[in-house]
Amino acid sequence: MTDRFTHESLRQILGPVDEPGPLRPTVEDEVACDGYVRRLVSYDVPAGRASAFVCVPDALASPAPLVFCHHQHAGQFDLGKSEVCGLRGDPDQAYAAELAQRGFVTIAPDAIGFEDRNWADDGRNVTWFELSSRLVVGRTLLATCLQEISLALDYATALPEVDPDRIGFIGHSYGGRAALWAPAWDRRIRASVSNCGCVPYRESFARDVGFQAEFVVPGFASAHDVEDVVALADQCEYLILATDDDRWSRGAESIRDRLARRGTRHARVEIRPGRHDFPRTVRAAAYDFLADRLRETARGG
């Protein structure tokens, strides 16, 4: 570990990204749901055309806080934005829909390689190709993914229904890992919830954990780990949720202890009994955290 970790060094480690052009957004579809409207939108990103659901609560009296909802991995490359909006997959992953019912505007894009962003005819894992084709020219997939998070926020914060000064982030598993990195990349994010996705690099050398393509960053783990990333994002309040029987939560206690030793006050680590899950009671506590940190009173249960 080192204290000489800055936003400049973060960008240098992650490598360059292509300069984005105009978003050229399009609303492809709009569906009335229970307490909100779900829009299917698309917009340009350097890697292609992004696809996202935006959920807007009914009858907003004023611009609402925005929460970026990052989907999980689970090796299910046909799922992405649809799962966090409750259309398919695990109902316990439908936090974009549930937050919209509580009065938040939510945006849930497909990450590269998932759902609409999977370009393989057979739906296989294309993320290792997306990684290697960047590494050979001195780039990383993580930088592209983080840039796309920022571009999604650019689109959403331009909507009249959104208060651009109240931005949150939530994710489970892959999304939980992204929830640690995104606020360090984009300082507009004021509150972030990471669930079951905090495993540090030092624990990832175990063969039952390993490395996810999106988080392979050459040289990073020789001097840094996720505590450095979290500490860097001092504009953001973190709630890092982990369980005691989950390999993707392994190392949560050491993260908590190391953050405490360095005096990091903007991150809280909570470890509960359980496995790799995001049950209703835990989601409700996460929503309350976002509501409190974004100064918005949560609606309903």
Side-chain angles (χ1 to χ4, degrees):
M1 292 290 185
T2 177
D3 293 328
R4 299 190 302 275
F5 192 59
T6 66
H7 287 95
E8 181 180 356
S9 61
L10 172 69
R11 296 293 179 122
Q12 290 175 343
I13 289 170
L14 292 177
V17 291
D18 290 327
E19 187 69 24
L23 291 175
R24 297 193 304 117
T26 300
V27 177
E28 309 285 355
D29 191 23
E30 187 169 292
V31 178
C33 301
D34 181 13
Y36 63 96
V37 171
R38 185 183 65 244
R39 299 172 186 160
L40 174 62
V41 304
S42 63
Y43 48 88
D44 282 346
V45 295
R49 187 81 174 161
S51 182
F53 281 129
V54 175
C55 298
V56 180
D58 294 340
L60 287 175
S62 60
L66 170 72
V67 179
F68 186 107
C69 298
H70 199 300
H71 59 77
Q72 67 169 337
H73 190 297
Q76 297 174 309
F77 301 102
D78 63 323
L79 287 177
K81 64 185 182 303
S82 292
E83 185 165 47
V84 291
C85 287
L87 299 179
R88 293 188 290 129
D90 182 357
D92 280 341
Q93 297 296 313
Y95 34 86
E98 293 175 345
L99 281 164
Q101 291 174 326
R102 286 173 170 251
F104 299 86
V105 178
T106 62
I107 185 165
D110 292 325
I112 292 172
F114 291 82
E115 203 166 313
D116 293 349
R117 303 292 301 282
N118 187 304
W119 43 261
D121 292 338
D122 57 1
R124 67 185 182 278
N125 183 357
V126 301
T127 60
W128 287 102
F129 174 86
E130 294 287 349
L131 169 66
S132 58
S133 62
R134 288 168 172 81
L135 288 181
V136 295
V137 293
R139 300 188 173 205
T140 63
L141 179 55
L142 181 54
T144 303
C145 293
L146 292 171
Q147 181 191 47
E148 290 199 1
I149 289 170
S150 288
L151 293 173
L153 296 181
D154 289 347
Y155 169 77
T157 54
L159 299 174
E161 299 94 345
V162 169
D163 181 346
D165 294 324
R166 294 188 290 166
I167 300 176
F169 196 105
I170 190 171
H172 167 78
S173 194
Y174 172 13
R177 286 184 166 188
L180 301 180
W181 284 85
W185 176 273
D186 194 318
R187 293 183 64 81
R188 292 176 292 179
I189 300 171
R190 313 299 293 185
S192 188
V193 177
S194 168
N195 184 70
C196 287
C198 65
V199 59
Y201 285 80
R202 59 184 171 273
E203 298 286 351
S204 297
F205 291 93
R207 290 181 177 176
D208 66 335
V209 179
F211 299 92
Q212 184 181 332
E214 289 83 351
F215 299 97
V216 172
V217 180
F220 177 78
S222 65
H224 307 291
D225 215 313
V226 294
E227 299 89 4
D228 296 288
V229 178
V230 170
L232 191 62
D234 56 2
Q235 87 290 347
C236 179
E237 294 285 331
Y238 282 92
L239 176 60
I240 301 172
L241 301 170
T243 64
D244 61 4
D245 189 18
D246 171 35
R247 56 184 170 171
W248 311 119
S249 297
R250 194 176 297 169
E253 289 185 6
S254 67
I255 292 172
R256 181 185 60 198
D257 294 344
R258 293 181 185 211
L259 287 172
R261 283 200 299 270
R262 66 192 301 165
T264 303
R265 298 180 179 273
H266 60 272
R268 186 168 89 232
V269 180
E270 296 184 359
I271 305 169
R272 67 181 188 274
R275 305 187 73 179
H276 194 65
D277 55 17
F278 205 0
R280 179 181 294 274
T281 56
V282 179
R283 297 197 308 277
Y287 303 159
D288 288 344
F289 170 85
L290 290 170
D292 179 66
R293 298 309 186 273
L294 301 175
R295 297 186 177 87
E296 180 74 5
T297 301
R299 291 199 239 145

